[in-house]
Every structure is written in C-alpha cells, then in structure tokens.
C-alpha cells in the first residue's frame, strides 16, 4: 500500500513539474533574447526583427491565433524617436481564445516590452545593454504563461491577448500604438497585466513582487487571494514616490484617446520585482546576474494568477475616482 502511494505521489509530482516551465527553459529563452548578438534590442534595428521572429516562434508553438486577416503575429508600428527620426518596427500580437461562451468575447491583455536601449558608452569594456532583466524577463513571463497553458491543456474562460511591445524605451511607443489601433476591441478588454523586470530578488527578497498603482484598482486584492497556498507575497508598492505606474506600457491603457476624445481607460498595472538594483539601463543587465531560481518560480506562479483573473466571474475594477471616470465611457 505504501509503495503504491509512493508511486502515485511520484507520478503526480512528475505531472506537475512537466506542466510547469523548467529553470533550463527559462534560462534558454532569456539567454537568447539578451544575447550580445541582439545588440541591446534597440527599436528599428535588424536585431529587433530577429527578436520579434523568435517571440513569434513561441506564439506559434503555443498555438496562439495570428492577427485576424494576417498570416503572422506582427502589428506594424511606426513612430518618431526623440531625434525626430522615423522608426519602423513591430509589436508581436497573439490570441489564446477563451472557452466560456459568455466570457470568451472579453479579453485579458498580457504584455511586456521586448525592446531595450541598444549600445551605449562602455562600462568596464562592455557597451551592449543586453536588457536581461529589462525586459527579456517580462517577455519570458509571457512566454511561460502561454506554454504552461498549452502543456496543461488549459483554455481560460476569457480570451487572453499577448502583446510584446516595441518602443517602450523611446516613450511607450508600441503600447501607445496598440491603444490607438487595438487588434481586439478595448471596450471588451478588461485589464492589462504588464510585466517589467522580474529577474531579480536582491533588494525585495525572494518570493516578493509588487504592482504599480496597486491602490487604484481591486487587482491587488484579487492577486492576493489567488496567491493563497503559494509561497509568494504581493507587497505594497515600495516606490510610490517614483511613480512607476506612469513609467511603463500599462500607462498607455489607463486613459485613452479614441477619435480625439479622452474616452476609455482600463485597469492597467505593471508587475515587477525590481528593487532599484543598479543594473538598470547598464551593460551589466545581463544573464549572469539573474536569479533564475526565483524568476522560474515567479513566471510559473504568475501563470496561475493570470488564469484565476481570466476565469473569475467579475471583472477587475478601478477603485480610484481619478481613473474610473474614464472607464466604460
Ligand atoms: Zn523596461
């Protein structure tokens, strides 16, 4: 009897680990996106095309739907950089269709920017800003989610839109473009979960993360209830004075101009583990300083949390008047 129980426990443990993404996979994906060959993933470069194609290959392997009417995942994006030069690049957009007849036309928008700042002045002989934490790590969180759902045969009740944005480092350009040219209707998009810099644990400590703008909607409360039974803790935003809420792509969805009018805004937040570690926008933001143990746990945990959000009967709602005045108009 004991032997049978042990055998069963072994099989179950094997099933669970198989259904999660391994540390080796996380390391491989992150290493490719932040390799020296990517030259710091600056928007408009050839290397960004390579990065976009790499991300798209994951979308395809995970069975995501391509952009309606296209045979690829690329949303062309063009904008002017701060020098006034025209930049032509692309967002990478894929859809995991929902399963619930009543909820599948509602969307959860899961995002991470995949660009970085390119080559800069050398520090200790290294001039390539690899952007392992900023923001290959956020992209890997997204990739993990789609692969975990595929492996586990999970179809969430609501549909999940995955978007890797270009141009964040040039002023949230890819997300602004998507907000003005949404592939799926924003009126039906309930919440934006944006991932930024989730590769480190030195300052926050292991198994801790935060949500920018955490007091503005009920998302933090919903996440905390989803974390019951895990070893993760959503801490209060420790850097309120830095206003990180406005400094990443989630801000493009907080209040949106549609046809010239300020019309619509959805609860939109960034999930992060950056504790002001000094690798930010420096060439040493590279693979060899990543905490892969903590990061692998994070990206697997966040798959479950996102699924709970996609499956819960109620939508995420603003709790702050400052933002709710735009919602639903
Ligand atoms: Zn970033």
């Amino acid at each position: 009897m004991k032997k049978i129980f042990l055998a069963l426990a072994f099989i179950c443990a094997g099933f669970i680990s198989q259904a999660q993404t391994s540390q080796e996979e996380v390391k491989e994906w992150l290493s490719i996106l932040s390799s020296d060959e990517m030259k710091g993933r600056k928007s408009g470069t050839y290397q960004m095309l390579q990065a976009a194609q790499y991300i798209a290959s994951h979308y395809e392997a995970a069975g995501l739907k391509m952009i309606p009417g296209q045979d690829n995942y690329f949303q062309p994006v063009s904008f002017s950089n701060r020098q006034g030069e025209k930049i032509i690049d692309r967002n990478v957009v894929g859809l995991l269709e929902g399963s619930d007849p009543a909820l599948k036309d509602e969307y959860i928008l899961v995002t991470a920017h995949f660009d970085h700042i390119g080559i800069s002045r050398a520090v200790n002989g290294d001039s390539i800003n690899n952007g392992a934490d900023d923001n290959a790590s956020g992209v890997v969180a997204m990739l993990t989610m789609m692969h975990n759902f595929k492996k586990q045969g999970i179809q969430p009740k609501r549909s999940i839109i995955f978007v890797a944005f270009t141009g964040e480092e040039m002023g949230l350009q890819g997300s602004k473009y998507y907000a003005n040219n949404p592939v799926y209707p924003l009126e039906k998009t309930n919440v934006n979960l944006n991932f930024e810099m989730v590769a480190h644990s030195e300052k926050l400590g292991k198994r801790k993360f935060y949500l920018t703008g955490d007091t503005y909607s009920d998302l933090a409360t919903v996440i905390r209830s989803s974390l019951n039974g895990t070893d993760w803790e959503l801490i209060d935003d420790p850097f309120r004075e830095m206003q990180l809420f406005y400094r990443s792509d989630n801000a493009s969805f907080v209040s949106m101009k549609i046809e010239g009018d300020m019309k619509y805004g959805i609860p939109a937040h960034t999930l992060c583990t950056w504790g002001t570690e000094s690798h930010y926008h420096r060439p040493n933001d590279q693979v060899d300083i990543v905490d892969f143990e903590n990061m692998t746990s994070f990206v697997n945990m966040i798959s479950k949390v996102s699924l709970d959000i996609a499956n819960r009967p109620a939508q995420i709602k603003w709790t702050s008047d400052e933002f709710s005045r735009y919602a639903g108009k």
Side-chain angles (χ1 to χ4, degrees):
M1 187 66 187
K2 204 173 178 184
K3 265 190 185 160
I4 292 171
F5 180 75
L6 276 175
L8 265 178
F10 185 74
I11 291 165
C12 289
F15 175 75
I16 288 164
S17 67
Q18 193 190 21
Q20 302 256 306
T21 295
S22 70
Q23 193 168 313
E24 289 68 35
E25 288 169 304
V26 167
K27 191 167 188 177
E28 181 193 322
W29 304 342
L30 189 107
S31 300
I32 290 170
L33 284 167
S34 55
S35 66
D36 280 355
E37 286 71 32
M38 290 290 180
K39 296 190 176 162
R41 300 189 311 275
K42 190 172 184 179
S43 289
T45 62
Y46 173 69
Q47 287 76 21
M48 276 294 277
L49 173 62
Q50 292 180 308
Q53 283 172 337
Y54 178 69
I55 292 165
S57 74
H58 280 274
Y59 283 24
E60 190 157 18
L64 299 192
K65 287 197 146 184
M66 294 173 178
I67 294 176
Q70 293 183 205
D71 60 356
N72 58 52
Y73 298 101
F74 302 134
Q75 177 184 44
V77 175
S78 63
F79 58 91
S80 294
N81 68 9
R82 290 186 181 105
Q83 289 73 43
E85 299 156 343
K86 191 170 184 190
I87 303 291
I88 295 174
D89 212 319
R90 54 194 66 67
N91 292 330
V92 191
V93 184
L95 184 79
L96 177 61
E97 214 166 47
S99 60
D100 185 293
L103 293 177
K104 64 183 286 193
D105 292 331
E106 290 180 18
Y107 302 95
I108 306 291
L109 180 61
V110 171
T111 60
H113 76 86
F114 71 108
D115 66 302
H116 195 48
I117 58 173
I119 311 277
S120 67
R121 200 161 47 86
V123 179
N124 299 327
D126 184 5
S127 59
I128 300 174
N129 293 278
N130 303 78
D133 191 16
D134 187 7
N135 188 32
S137 70
V139 173
V140 169
M142 234 173 41
L143 301 183
T144 300
M145 199 182 296
M146 61 186 78
H147 285 299
N148 284 357
F149 292 161
K150 166 99 173 166
K151 281 184 206 167
Q152 296 164 15
I154 286 172
Q155 221 185 338
K157 290 185 178 177
R158 288 187 182 82
S159 297
I160 299 182
I161 310 161
F162 293 94
V163 187
F165 292 125
T166 184
E168 194 268 356
E169 305 285 6
M170 295 183 180
L172 316 185
Q173 298 292 345
S175 56
K176 279 181 194 163
Y177 189 87
Y178 184 95
N180 285 300
N181 305 275
V183 174
Y184 301 97
L186 285 171
E187 298 79 25
K188 299 267 183 186
T189 304
N190 172 222
V191 62
N192 171 222
L193 307 176
N194 183 52
F195 293 93
E196 266 270 18
M197 302 185 76
V198 296
H200 284 264
S201 63
E202 291 91 53
K203 294 211 174 175
L204 250 52
K206 291 229 180 215
R207 307 300 190 258
K208 289 186 169 63
F209 68 109
Y210 60 93
L211 191 65
T212 65
D214 53 352
T215 59
Y216 302 156
S217 80
D218 61 3
L219 182 60
T221 308
V222 170
I223 290 177
R224 286 196 177 103
S225 76
S226 177
L227 290 174
N228 278 335
T230 76
D231 54 359
W232 278 88
E233 182 191 356
L234 179 68
I235 62 171
D236 292 341
D237 179 354
F239 309 115
R240 294 229 162 85
E241 73 289 351
M242 291 173 71
Q243 302 251 7
L244 298 176
F245 181 68
Y246 294 102
R247 289 174 53 182
S248 188
D249 288 311
N250 65 288
S252 298
F253 299 97
V254 167
S255 57
M256 286 172 281
K257 278 188 178 167
I258 296 177
E259 288 163 15
D261 286 326
M262 197 64 88
K263 269 195 177 165
Y264 209 84
I266 61 174
H269 301 266
T270 292
L271 293 80
C272 188
T273 71
W274 181 60
T276 68
E277 287 92 345
S278 63
H279 60 264
Y280 175 76
H281 284 200
R282 289 172 67 91
N284 72 335
D285 179 5
Q286 56 195 16
V287 169
D288 58 357
I289 61 166
V290 169
D291 178 350
F292 282 107
E293 190 279 331
N294 196 64
M295 182 182 159
T296 303
S297 177
F298 176 86
V299 295
N300 282 303
M301 170 275 290
I302 212 64
S303 304
K304 173 204 181 289
V305 168
S306 304
L307 182 65
D308 287 347
I309 293 166
N311 284 350
R312 69 195 286 273
Q315 296 191 341
I316 301 295
K317 289 184 179 61
W318 290 118
T319 51
S320 154
D321 291 345
E322 190 182 341
F323 302 106
S324 56
R325 65 197 158 117
Y326 299 123
K329 286 183 185 169

